[in-house]
Amino acid sequence: MSSSVVEVEVKGTLPTSGGCGIFIGNDEKIIIIYVDQMVGNAIIMFLKDLPKERPQTHDLFGHVLESLGAKVERVIVNDFNDGVYYGRLIISAENEIEEKKIIEIDARSSDCIALAIQSKSPIYVEKSVMEGSEDVSDIFNKVESGNIFSQEDAEQ
């Protein structure tokens, strides 16, 4: 694995008026990625291992990968531009006809995170993206302790 990335984990979530904030990070720094409500719900359901009445889009994608003999190896949040995080989905596929094949797909960072949680695959962030993003560890700690007094504080 390249040393230009750092491994992170989903630390928590925060529902917002327009969707959901996803806290990702490590012991040194936590950043927040804002996602739409649908992906936010999917991430929360995967994190909490909640049952669903019917398969959702990320479930469908995961089942298709599995049926093709493929799996999510890892995801990388690889860019940040104009307030938008970008991601790459790294998939490996192996079947009886071909040798192992690695496929890299451009994807929304939110979908990458959802699929990584679903498949229990590692999440990485490019060092330059991590360094260029605001550290929201204090806000995360307030949210986790229940001491956040308004949603506006979290969105600052």
Side-chain angles (χ1 to χ4, degrees):
M1 178 60 48
S2 167
S3 63
S4 66
V5 297
V6 292
E7 188 166 1
V8 298
E9 63 181 346
V10 175
K11 298 285 194 177
T13 61
L14 177 66
T16 67
S17 58
C20 189
I22 307 299
F23 292 100
I24 63 171
N26 53 30
D27 292 340
E28 286 127 44
K29 186 174 187 176
I30 298 173
I31 63 174
I32 190 166
I33 297 178
Y34 291 100
V35 305
D36 66 54
Q37 193 62 54
M38 295 291 286
V39 179
N41 287 342
I43 289 171
I44 291 167
M45 292 177 92
F46 288 136
L47 282 171
K48 296 182 177 185
D49 203 21
L50 297 174
K52 302 172 204 106
E53 285 184 34
R54 299 178 57 209
Q56 303 296 309
T57 305
H58 295 96
D59 298 310
L60 171 65
F61 191 78
H63 295 315
V64 168
L65 285 177
E66 187 179 328
S67 69
L68 293 172
K71 66 178 186 169
V72 175
E73 286 288 327
R74 64 189 177 279
V75 301
I76 303 169
V77 177
N78 68 326
D79 199 7
F80 179 75
N81 192 6
D82 289 332
V84 177
Y85 287 92
Y86 296 85
R88 303 292 289 173
L89 189 59
I90 313 300
I91 297 170
S92 67
E94 194 169 6
N95 61 36
E96 61 279 352
I97 300 169
E98 292 186 39
E99 292 182 25
K100 188 172 183 179
K101 182 182 206 179
I102 302 293
I103 305 157
E104 188 171 334
I105 300 171
D106 184 33
R108 297 188 308 178
S109 60
S110 56
D111 290 327
C112 287
I113 291 168
L115 290 165
I117 296 165
Q118 176 196 44
S119 63
K120 297 174 179 35
S121 302
I123 302 169
Y124 296 94
V125 177
E126 288 276 350
K127 278 187 181 174
S128 62
V129 172
M130 198 71 167
E131 290 166 0
S133 298
E134 181 183 359
D135 186 355
V136 296
S137 297
D138 290 344
I139 294 170
F140 171 72
N141 291 331
K142 285 181 183 179
V143 169
E144 284 296 288
S145 67
N147 290 334
I148 192 155
F149 38 88
S150 74
Q151 187 172 309
E152 288 76 34
D153 293 326
E155 293 177 349
Q156 289 180 354

